[in-house]
Structures are given as structure tokens and as C-alpha cells.
Amino acid sequence: MHLLIPAAGMGRRMGSDRNKLLLILLGKPILAWTLLAAEKASSISWIGIMGQPYDWPEFKAILAELALSKPVELIEGGETRQESVYNGLQALPAEAKRVLIHDGARCLASPELLARCAQVLMGCPGLIAAVPVKDTIKVVDEANLVQDTPDRKGLWAAQTPQGFEVKLLKQCHDQGREAGWEVTDDAALFERCSLPVKIVEGEETNLKVTTPVDLAIAEFILRQRFELSGTESS
């Protein structure tokens, strides 16, 4: 299974002027934790990281430190996540039939989740990891007035990895570029092209590290994992 990791963003909501994936989480850059999970997922055989070239020296330093057993390719990212994934798809090896796409900022995803998504993807054209919504959701208008309260039994919070047949996802991206669609994830492109997207239950701990609070929560989760496993964090 091939894996693409979008890693081209900045850390504005983190209050940082650099790529947030280079921020340190429990002794390692955030990106390193994501890569370690991919390394431990036996089904993943190739990794592509979409980033800005000015971050590549630091990405290469991380890769040198980790000494992963799997081939890793650095791919120039775009201005948006959508553009970065498009670039990543073009850089996939010719033999790639299916691909998982996993946000670099979701550094707590377990190898088991990655493996589970890879297995399910062998039997469907597209999928996303997601968890059931626990909070009551309100639909609000521009004046901040509640317009609707949807039944949360049918609501799921999308995570990554998301997985797709490469040929179909390339077609969706091409159609999206022609139509000028702007989406926040690849599943939305699949949906707009009337293609089915299957839900694979994700993990409550698979949070996206976006703010300083997220970083503190991620550190707490990692420390708990190390305590349970009896291993050290570095």
C-alpha cells in the first residue's frame, strides 16, 4: 500500500511562523511520530511526503534520524491541501493502484488504524476513517442564529487516513480542477463525483494537532501510551 502525507502547511493557528509538523512533541518533531506509525504498519510499502522545498532540509534530517526501512520520497506541495494531494498523486510509482492519504498533523494515529484502512480499501473504491459525533451539532446562519439541529446518530467526524483507488481519485482531482471545486478533503471530491465512500471507524485519540492545546493533549496521550507499554518516549 502506498501512503501520501500532506505536510506543506504552516502553523498559524499554533502561533508558529514555521511548519507545525517541525514543532517538537515529546522529544521528536510531530512529523516523526506520523512516520513512525507508518513504519510500523506492515501493509505500507512506500511513503510520499508533500512539503515545501524550504522545509526539505529539516524533513531530510528527520528521515536520517529515523532511518526508516521503507522508501520515502519528498514531493513539492501546493498552496492548499488539495493541490498538495494532486501533486502527490502525480508522483506515485506507476504500479500504485490504491493509496492512503494521512495528514501529517494526525501524529497519534496507530499503526493498527493504518493497517485496518489498508485492508478495507482492498474491497472498496474509497474510504475515510471517522468517529461518531458525540456532541449536539447546531446549524447556524450568518447572524449566529440556530437554523437546525441535525440528528447526531447520522453524523461522523472525518479523520485520516482516507483511502482510494488511485485511478478514480486522479479522475476526481482532474474534474475538480476543471470545475474549480475547492474542498478540504479527498472524500469530498469523491462525493461530488457520485462515488461511494465507506466509513472505517477511527480512533478518538487520532486528533489533528492544530493549536497549542492540541499539542498538550497529544503529549498527554503519548505519555499514557508509553506508561501502558512500559517503554520510553525517546
Side-chain angles (χ1 to χ4, degrees), residues 34-187:
T34 308
L35 290 168
L36 287 171
E39 171 77 357
K40 293 177 182 177
S42 59
S43 54
I44 292 173
S45 58
W46 181 95
I47 301 169
I49 304 173
M50 292 87 77
Q52 303 299 350
Y54 51 73
D55 283 330
W56 287 3
E58 290 182 89
F59 286 2
K60 289 177 180 178
I62 292 170
L63 292 169
E65 176 71 22
L66 296 179
L68 303 179
S69 65
K70 301 173 182 182
V72 180
E73 182 171 339
L74 296 180
I75 303 160
E76 185 167 351
E79 291 297 317
T80 65
R81 182 187 187 280
Q82 186 174 343
E83 292 177 3
S84 292
V85 173
Y86 177 86
N87 292 352
L89 291 172
Q90 311 316 308
L92 284 172
E95 70 272 14
K97 303 300 182 186
R98 293 174 174 81
V99 62
L100 291 179
I101 301 165
H102 184 61
D103 292 343
R106 290 190 183 273
C107 57
L108 301 181
S110 70
E112 292 75 21
L113 176 60
L114 293 169
R116 190 162 69 249
C117 288
Q119 181 178 10
V120 174
L121 185 57
M122 301 306 293
C124 69
L127 60 79
I128 64 171
V131 292
V133 169
K134 294 183 291 185
D135 297 321
T136 297
I137 302 298
K138 301 291 184 181
V139 179
V140 179
D141 66 12
E142 294 179 358
N144 283 344
L145 294 174
V146 173
Q147 299 298 301
D148 190 24
T149 304
D151 185 351
R152 67 184 178 194
K153 288 188 293 185
L155 298 177
W156 289 66
Q159 301 181 340
T160 64
Q162 302 189 353
F164 307 91
E165 292 183 11
V166 171
K167 182 179 179 180
L168 288 177
L169 186 57
K170 282 184 173 181
Q171 292 172 354
C172 291
H173 269 271
D174 288 341
Q175 187 171 338
R177 287 165 71 90
E178 292 174 6
W181 295 340
E182 294 183 4
V183 298
T184 56
D185 71 0
D186 299 279

